[in-house]
Amino acid sequence: MELQEFSEKYERTVGEVSRVVLGQKAIIEHALIALIAGGHLLLEGVPGLGKTLLVRSLGAVLGASFGRIQFTPDLMPSDVTGGNVFNAKSSTFEFIPGPIFSQLVLADEINRAPAKTQSALLEAMQERAVTVDGTTRALPAPFLVLATQNPIESQGTYPLPEAQLDRFLLKVNVTYPSAEVEQQLLAAYVGGFDPQHLQVEQVLTAAELIDMQMTLRRVTVSPEILAYITRLVAATRDHRSIDVGASPRASVGLLQTARAHAASLARDFLIPDDVKSFAHAVLRHRVVLHPDAELEGITQDDVVSSILAETSVPGGVS
Amino acid sequence: MRSLTARVGTIVWLLASSVVAQTDGEPPTVDDAASNPPQDAMSLGYDANPNATSSSNEPDMFQLVPDPFLQDEVRRQLKNQKYRFCQDPNYRFFRAEKESLCPHVSAFESTCPMLERACSRPPWEEEMAQNEPEESDWSFPSFNLSWVDILFKALFWGALGLGVFYIVRALVRRAQLWKEERDLDVGASSPLPNPRTDRMPDELRTHVLLKMAREKLDQSEITEALHLTYRATIRALADADWVKPHRSKTSGDYLRSLASNRVASPSNTADQQDKQIEVSTVTGHLLDLDRERFRSGPRAEQARTLLGQAESLARRLSPLVLLLGCFWFIGCSTFVPQEFPYQPYAPRGSQLFEDLLRRQAGSVHRRLHRVVDVPEETSTVIAIDAALRPIEWQTLSRWASSGGHLVVAAPSAAFWEEFGQEFEPTACSGPLTTPPLTIVPVDDTMAFAESTSGQVLARCADRIFASSMQWDAGWVTVIADAQLFQNAGLAARHNATIAFHLVGNLDGHVEYLGPWTGRGSQNPLESITRAGFGWWVLHLLLLGIIHAWSRGKRMTTPIDPRDSSRRAFTEHARALSGKYERARASGWALRHYAEWVYDTLRRRAPSTRADLKSLTRAVSTSEIEANKLREALTTARRADELGETTKEHYATFRRLKSAILGISEVSRKSRIEKD
């Protein structure tokens, strides 16, 4: 796929989803970038911001198979992965695939399930495969997990373990829309807008998405940019407010998202802006704050911002 | 070189003078002086006979001819635009200057071409009178505004002090930031040093960076050239105050700040549209630069184009910088203030004489300090309008008597007291002559009565304008007034030649005294006092003493303790309480505290019944106390339900705490009594 075509398809996809999910263009772009970069997306935000709607719309626009898992405290791993069920007729065990065997999986309120169930996603997210009763089954490609979680409730929730968090390429904080956007939303509702019944046009096929993912390889990266990414990630390991820094998976993630961003602008090379614009989304969930910093009210975003402000960009001017 | 030129000029001038003298059949002058003792007279450069009376001196007077080299030098110097009275056709004279200079305007033809036009303008006083608004019937009510004056002064000094404080604080913070950045650089950048993007010296300016880029491009180091071009562009933008560069900022950051700062509000005005065009140009240029900097295999031709664009951009921005700098920092204005006549380059100033003196003499020292001694190498002391004290004249007298040449113009009474001449110069309206030349007067002329000793060098009618007398082994030349040494005086016709003829030979070192002599400070303290900073320094000293006294021995130790890797418990507690406060969880904390209190009380009175009333009665000494405790405990245990503020929670906490402490005290006393 040519980069120009890549860019056009990207824009069309964003535009189509924006018809349904109003005023959240940045979030839509992040989701699409995660999809193109082959990673998973964690959306965090209070209820009612359109997280689930976004994922559903994205699935519809892509024409991909869509599975939804509502995470609850009593959810079992087999409810996610599926399991072998005895077939009385054939007197054999048959594998009944779980909702994870979809191209687009919505893990709604992922932090409501206990760690055991959350861990069922680990292999799927990293290996794109599921092992049940010793048999490993590949998941369809492309495969993307879009998880949502609510940051305000602490009762009956299980924070995601670091290993799980690290498997999400991006963590996007869904914030309240501005007053103007909210007014537009209301006006749209008055005009008959109903996102639940809105038909979005499929503008991308799964094959095209895979083609787009392959196109990323054509985006070249200069050694300075590679060094910049490495410096950024390395800085999280030495930062005074961070207990555990980001992993090399974060470096790869940052590189891939930056490449996807460059390609979305029909560019076949990276510039520092590509890296910087995704640093927060890639790093914020991969750093564990020092207790002192946490007590002082410092957030992961503050730390990433300070790292960005302290790290020289390639060819930067002092 | 300057001295050599002056000497050659003098020799040529002397030869010319000799020729003129021989042609006219007059007695030989300088040459004769050179062959005619005393040697001191010869060294002064003019013919003199100290023993002759003034009347008998006249036939022997030196036949002076204009010095073409000196006159050329005068013309050259006066071409300087600072001599506005010569070069500015719009120059406004004060009335006194106009009346004394303009009648002789023809004498300034060759040196001051614009003087004639300046003379055609009315004097400054008249212009001011014309421009003054007519008086209205309304008169401003008069108030006693002395307190306003004091208030303004206080505000001014307060603002100044505050400004200084902020500057110092900013400098300190800047230094701290720099140190932190350096530490971070060492820490953060050490894993992967990037030689290409290593920081270059900050002082590299746009043109230097562009030059370096051009060189790199010529050496086919295209990527490096592009990086330098980018740096130059950002530097140019920073110089124009469009962006604030930082090493962590990308083009996107700069463009965002440009978009928000330069085109803040959409407008259709031409100015705003221009800005949008400028910003779009810069945006395109930066994006192109980024494209070429980071793409693989950048092309030389494209790099050249971008460099050209950067140069053009820098050129376009630089006049803007100058303009902004002009208005912001030095306050450029087309308004030219009226020049005070005695300013250095004004008609009555003495800058021209000093410049000429420096070209003519071997070395010149403009003396600011009092004359307590004269340097050994000095051959001539020139005192023009110098207000010296008697003791200083005594010093000069001693020095002159030992073989020096003292030239005094416009001498003061103290001079005459020392040198024993009891007559004062008076006004003279006659022509000033130094045969065959005539001095063009540029001010009211003063002259002395006939002297009994010395040789007359210049006359004003039948009186003496300048004379020279032997002073033991030396010479003293006295000139009645200083007009000849003023800028206007030297600019007129041949006055410069005459002035330097009166000063005499200038080989060797010259001490130049004037109204400024004796006004220099003898020590730094005096300098501070004269500058009006005495009280300030004392004030600062007093503050320093108070500060030292308050800090005692810790005066030299740093205020802040060194950061330790472990935080103190109190810091943890403070951070924890801060977190509770931010989370609005003070009610939650209070509820837990109340539960702890309840458990403690329960342990203290295990035999009581489970209800709160029995418990509080058991641990209290009176019913009132029991009620207080019960109320506090009840409120505290429901703190997170009642929706009270943090302040109210804290008040409840204190009530509970004091109740508990009271109970503890009572139980302690009862235990003691039991024991």
Side-chain angles (χ1 to χ4, degrees), chain B residues 542-589:
Chain B
L542 191 66
L543 284 176
I545 290 167
I546 292 169
H547 184 60
W549 176 73
S550 66
R551 297 215 64 205
K553 287 180 180 175
R554 294 178 291 120
M555 176 71 180
T556 53
T557 57
I559 294 171
D560 299 323
R562 290 183 64 188
D563 286 342
S564 77
S565 54
R566 288 175 63 88
R567 287 166 190 269
F569 174 74
T570 50
E571 282 181 37
H572 277 292
R574 198 175 299 128
L576 195 62
S577 59
K579 191 169 172 64
Y580 282 144
E581 194 176 343
R582 276 194 298 276
R584 298 171 190 275
S586 53
W588 182 83

Side-chain angles (χ1 to χ4, degrees), chain B residues 320-635:
Chain B
L320 187 67
V321 175
L322 287 177
L323 192 67
L324 292 176
C326 179
F327 280 111
W328 289 349
F329 298 113
I330 56 173
C332 293
S333 167
T334 51
F335 173 72
V336 181
Q338 177 62 16
E339 190 177 53
F340 184 64
Y342 286 90
Q343 282 176 341
Y345 289 91
R348 302 282 178 224
S350 58
Q351 187 65 41
L352 182 58
F353 176 69
E354 188 173 340
D355 289 342
L356 293 172
L357 188 63
R358 288 186 189 280
R359 292 192 71 83
Q360 299 286 322
S363 62
V364 178
H365 176 233
R366 195 174 200 266
R367 192 174 185 111
L368 292 174
H369 295 306
R370 287 173 187 155
V371 185
V372 289
D373 61 347
V374 180
E376 221 170 80
E377 68 275 14
T378 308
S379 62
T380 309
V381 173
I382 301 173
I384 296 172
D385 214 3
L388 304 182
R389 296 176 304 166
I391 192 166
E392 291 174 290
W393 286 121
Q394 282 171 19
T395 306
L396 289 174
S397 167
R398 279 197 300 277
W399 171 80
S401 64
S402 64
H405 180 207
L406 175 64
V407 180
V408 184
S412 61
F415 169 82
W416 295 119
E417 282 172 18
E418 174 59 29
F419 287 82
Q421 304 290 326
E422 291 295 334
F423 53 87
E424 285 195 0
T426 51
C428 170
S429 56
L432 276 170
T433 52
T434 303
L437 302 180
T438 307
I439 298 171
V440 178
V442 293
D443 203 354
D444 295 337
T445 307
M446 308 296 283
F448 308 125
E450 284 292 339
S451 165
T452 53
S453 62
Q455 183 186 359
V456 176
L457 300 176
R459 282 189 170 278
C460 173
D462 58 343
R463 289 194 289 161
I464 299 170
F465 177 68
S467 73
S468 183
M469 58 187 175
Q470 190 158 24
W471 196 254
D472 290 343
W475 290 84
V476 177
T477 301
V478 187
I479 302 154
D481 64 43
Q483 61 171 301
L484 210 47
F485 302 96
Q486 293 169 351
N487 295 334
L490 289 166
R493 203 173 290 139
H494 303 126
N495 283 10
T497 301
I498 298 165
F500 278 86
H501 160 65
L502 296 179
V503 168
N505 195 348
L506 289 172
D507 286 345
H509 179 71
V510 175
E511 284 285 308
Y512 180 33
L513 319 182
W516 54 84
T517 304
R519 296 190 181 174
S521 304
Q522 301 296 315
N523 53 59
L525 198 63
E526 191 183 343
S527 182
I528 290 168
T529 312
R530 284 183 172 199
F533 284 110
W535 284 109
W536 286 98
V537 172
L538 273 177
H539 192 184
L540 283 175
L541 200 64
L542 191 66
L543 284 176
I545 290 167
I546 292 169
H547 184 60
W549 176 73
S550 66
R551 297 215 64 205
K553 287 180 180 175
R554 294 178 291 120
M555 176 71 180
T556 53
T557 57
I559 294 171
D560 299 323
R562 290 183 64 188
D563 286 342
S564 77
S565 54
R566 288 175 63 88
R567 287 166 190 269
F569 174 74
T570 50
E571 282 181 37
H572 277 292
R574 198 175 299 128
L576 195 62
S577 59
K579 191 169 172 64
Y580 282 144
E581 194 176 343
R582 276 194 298 276
R584 298 171 190 275
S586 53
W588 182 83
L590 181 60
R591 180 166 67 81
H592 281 274
Y593 180 67
E595 292 298 340
W596 173 80
V597 169
Y598 186 75
D599 285 347
T600 309
L601 294 179
R602 175 70 64 200
R603 279 199 298 276
R604 184 164 295 178
S607 58
T608 55
R609 285 186 295 162
D611 63 303
L612 189 61
K613 199 171 180 181
S614 316
L615 179 68
T616 49
R617 274 186 182 159
V619 296
S620 306
T621 51
S622 67
E623 187 64 27
I624 297 171
E625 265 190 16
N627 286 341
K628 272 187 186 173
L629 179 60
R630 192 159 56 249
E631 188 196 340
L633 261 177
T634 311
T635 313

Side-chain angles (χ1 to χ4, degrees), chain B residues 266-319:
Chain B
S267 167
N268 291 326
T269 61
D271 181 46
Q272 201 70 14
Q273 283 172 0
D274 285 350
K275 280 179 185 173
Q276 282 172 352
I277 292 165
E278 286 168 6
V279 171
S280 65
T281 310
V282 172
T283 305
H285 179 60
L286 282 181
L287 291 178
D288 287 347
L289 266 173
D290 261 4
R291 187 179 295 277
E292 290 304 317
R293 279 197 306 158
F294 296 107
R295 72 187 302 181
S296 55
R299 290 166 298 178
E301 199 51 45
Q302 188 65 18
R304 260 178 227 289
T305 310
L306 286 168
L307 182 56
Q309 281 177 6
E311 285 169 344
S312 157
L313 193 67
R315 270 197 303 276
R316 284 221 311 275
L317 289 172
S318 56

Side-chain angles (χ1 to χ4, degrees), chain B residues 18-208:
Chain B
S18 166
V19 170
V20 170
Q22 283 170 12
T23 310
D24 293 345
E26 293 293 329
T29 56
V30 177
D31 291 333
D32 274 10
S35 60
N36 187 21
Q39 289 297 311
D40 293 319
M42 182 181 71
S43 69
L44 294 177
Y46 47 70
D47 190 3
N49 183 0
N51 297 323
T53 61
S54 61
S55 56
S56 62
N57 281 340
E58 282 188 13
D60 300 331
M61 276 183 76
F62 173 52
Q63 297 297 300
L64 194 61
V65 291
D67 180 352
F69 300 98
L70 184 64
Q71 293 301 139
D72 277 350
E73 183 61 25
V74 169
R75 275 191 288 275
R76 198 182 68 78
Q77 292 279 348
L78 287 171
K79 280 180 184 169
N80 188 337
Q81 293 298 318
K82 288 180 180 174
Y83 292 102
R84 287 179 46 217
F85 74 99
C86 279
Q87 304 296 337
D88 184 0
N90 296 319
Y91 189 79
R92 290 177 302 189
F93 285 108
F94 282 93
R95 193 190 305 278
E97 273 62 51
K98 186 175 178 183
E99 284 173 357
S100 56
L101 286 180
C102 292
H104 310 289
V105 70
S106 60
F108 295 90
E109 269 175 0
S110 61
T111 51
C112 298
M114 297 298 163
L115 189 73
E116 191 174 358
R117 289 184 64 182
C119 281
S120 66
R121 294 190 63 180
W124 181 78
E125 292 91 333
E126 272 181 33
E127 267 192 29
M128 284 298 104
Q130 285 170 6
N131 294 335
E132 262 184 24
E134 287 182 12
E135 282 187 22
S136 64
D137 295 337
W138 184 82
S139 63
F140 195 81
S142 61
F143 298 109
N144 182 8
L145 295 177
S146 60
W147 63 272
V148 177
D149 185 37
I150 292 167
L151 181 69
F152 273 108
K153 277 182 182 170
L155 282 175
F156 171 76
W157 287 111
L160 190 69
L162 198 66
V164 170
F165 165 72
Y166 277 118
I167 288 167
V168 171
R169 196 178 69 162
L171 286 173
V172 170
R173 285 186 175 178
R174 178 83 187 161
Q176 284 174 344
L177 199 66
W178 174 79
K179 189 175 175 299
E180 279 177 18
E181 278 183 4
R182 198 186 58 175
D183 295 347
L184 282 169
D185 275 356
V186 171
S189 305
S190 54
L192 269 179
N194 190 346
R196 190 170 280 180
T197 54
D198 272 352
R199 289 165 68 184
M200 290 184 172
D202 287 348
E203 64 271 16
L204 287 185
R205 309 309 303 170
T206 309
H207 67 279
V208 179

